[in-house]
Amino acid sequence: MKPSTHRMLTRIKSVYMFISERGTVTTQELVDEFGITPRTIQRDLNVLAYNDLVRSPSKGKWTTTNKKVRMSS
């Protein structure tokens, strides 16, 4: 796996875990927490939403779904 792919997957996993721990978060909270651009966060959220791991109950807010997730390191 390319180093850039590994970094992206690690970041997406961290974003998912952050949302999971907090319950519901805003896109801006994710930008502030991870120190990356809103566009990058949006791409990460799109990957998570495509895989049915997060959903947006209202514009700009995100929460996890009930889909079972197995975490590995």
Side-chain angles (χ1 to χ4, degrees):
M1 181 181 325
K2 291 176 20 178
S4 59
T5 303
H6 187 265
R7 273 195 314 273
M8 179 193 66
L9 292 174
T10 300
R11 186 182 65 241
I12 289 172
K13 180 179 171 183
S14 297
V15 168
Y16 176 80
M17 290 171 57
F18 183 79
I19 297 170
S20 181
E21 290 167 4
R22 297 284 176 102
T24 301
V25 299
T26 65
T27 304
Q28 188 59 50
E29 286 175 302
L30 293 169
V31 167
D32 295 342
E33 177 69 20
F34 292 96
I36 53 181
T37 67
R39 182 66 190 115
T40 300
I41 280 293
Q42 193 59 56
R43 278 195 290 269
D44 294 350
L45 290 167
N46 287 344
V47 169
L48 290 167
Y50 178 82
N51 288 286
D52 196 32
L53 297 173
V54 299
R55 64 184 180 84
S56 181
S58 62
K59 186 173 170 72
K61 295 192 181 208
W62 296 89
T63 189
T64 56
T65 62
N66 293 327
K67 186 173 183 178
K68 299 283 184 215
V69 177
R70 184 177 51 141
M71 292 287 185
S72 62
S73 35

